[in-house]
Amino acid sequence: MARKPPAVVDLAWEGDLRFSVRFPSTPDLPVLTLDSAGKVGPSPVAALVAALAGCMSIDVAHILTRGRHPVRDIQAHLEAARSDDEPHRIVGVEQRLRSGRPMLQHQGQRDEQPHQRDQRREIRLAQQILGCKHGHIWVGASEGGNCK
């Protein structure tokens, strides 16, 4: 089986605590600016949190569409708790996923269709599996880290 190629980024210092980020495998993408102050681009931690939320959301969308569940909308909210001590590493991650499907707004009603129960079950399963799987990218190396 072919191995997945590594993810590669190139950074160039722009001064102060800012770096431009280029993606060699997709050179047509716009340059991303990482800014420690978060004024001209996301801070590195904000970019990491966005990448983690993106990975988890894409995986959930993949699981739902592979299960042939109609998906109209998926929204994700991710909060990363940080250490009070230097360096302010991420010590925990909590993610909430929401689908815009009406069945998720009317949970527990008796007129719910079987595919709606299946979709809700798959979202919960994906949150449990992917939340901790990807959460360990952040907290796996630190003691006391957690993901929800």
Side-chain angles (χ1 to χ4, degrees):
M1 178 161 62
R3 296 184 97 171
K4 183 89 170 155
V8 178
V9 296
D10 293 326
L11 278 72
W13 183 52
E14 293 185 350
D16 293 325
L17 297 176
R18 287 190 306 270
F19 285 83
S20 62
V21 182
R22 287 183 170 71
F23 304 90
S25 63
T26 50
D28 294 336
L29 285 179
V31 173
L32 171 68
T33 299
L34 295 177
D35 178 9
S36 179
K39 293 181 180 175
V40 296
S43 71
V45 172
L48 285 170
V49 171
L52 178 60
C55 282
M56 297 167 104
S57 299
I58 288 168
D59 284 347
V60 168
H62 177 72
I63 288 168
L64 291 174
T65 56
R66 187 178 60 203
R68 297 191 177 138
H69 299 291
V71 178
R72 180 175 41 191
D73 178 38
I74 295 175
Q75 297 175 18
H77 175 85
L78 192 137
E79 288 185 29
R82 299 183 64 191
S83 171
D84 291 332
D85 300 323
E86 293 277 345
H88 300 291
R89 63 183 169 72
I90 293 175
V91 295
V93 174
E94 181 176 344
Q95 181 210 11
R96 292 183 207 104
L97 283 171
R98 188 176 153 291
S99 171
R101 299 280 303 152
M103 68 90 179
L104 290 179
Q105 297 169 3
H106 305 289
Q107 292 180 11
Q109 292 188 1
R110 293 189 185 272
D111 60 350
E112 183 176 70
Q113 299 297 313
H115 77 277
Q116 293 171 326
R117 284 190 301 273
D118 292 344
Q119 182 184 19
R120 193 172 57 249
R121 184 182 67 241
E122 288 197 24
I123 287 176
R124 277 196 312 267
L125 177 64
Q127 285 176 309
Q128 292 168 356
I129 293 170
L130 299 172
C132 288
K133 175 182 166 188
H134 290 295
H136 286 297
I137 293 170
W138 297 87
V139 299
S142 64
E143 293 182 26
N146 61 64
C147 60
K148 297 178 185 178

